Amino acid sequence: LNQENIFLNDKISKLERGEKPQIFPEIKSAEQGAAEALFDMARLLGQEYNDESALVFAQMAAYLHPDLSKNRFLLAALAARNNHHAEAIKAYHSILADDKNYKDARRTAASLLEEQGYTDQALQELEKLAREYSDIEAMIQIGDIFRSQENFARAIAAYNRAEKALGGTIPSDYWHLLYVRGMAYEQSGDWPKAEKDLKKALEYQPSHPYILNYLGYAW
């Protein structure tokens, strides 16, 4: 489940910053402890694609501890995986703005909205993140939506906005921004800029098959 990656990446980021990630949650009540145990059962069952049982345990955890953010993510992921998109979007929207995973939840909700054909709503969701939080991933996602619509001018504008938010220089962590912008430049007919971005992405990821494949075909 994608929810697993979100919380794992948070722990990895803390380690990279020299911080000590919280391995075990601080339990303040019997209800919270029971909810954590039920969530763990739901998570394990979800990993085994036993979604019906996972949903039962996750719903019990939600009843005991409604504010358990990671359980809300799990409920949303289970709903999305079983094509209950409206339910999944509602669950992602239940993540509050003061939650550290709020932006991840909103970006995922936007992806689901786009998949369901509600592109304008998805763009509004992402634009709010970009405007209020200077969220670079949201800016890139906006560009990806326009690129999928073959609106390459607006895609490039969104990618350039992300570059500006990064301080004008795209670091290695954002090699994929160079890759997608390079594709947008190439598809819009601006090969010099496309080649520059793709070659820079290749410097960061010299063995990446997607970059190599795109450059090879373009050449």
Side-chain angles (χ1 to χ4, degrees), residues 129-143:
L129 292 177
R131 185 177 62 253
E132 296 182 5
Y133 296 90
S134 296
D135 186 41
I136 293 165
E137 295 296 339
M139 297 174 194
I140 296 172
Q141 200 168 333
I142 290 169

Side-chain angles (χ1 to χ4, degrees), residues 37-47 54-55 57-58 71 74:
L38 290 165
F39 164 76
D40 282 339
M41 286 298 299
R43 177 176 57 84
L44 291 170
L45 288 164
Q47 288 175 345
L55 185 59
F57 281 95
N71 192 58
L74 179 59

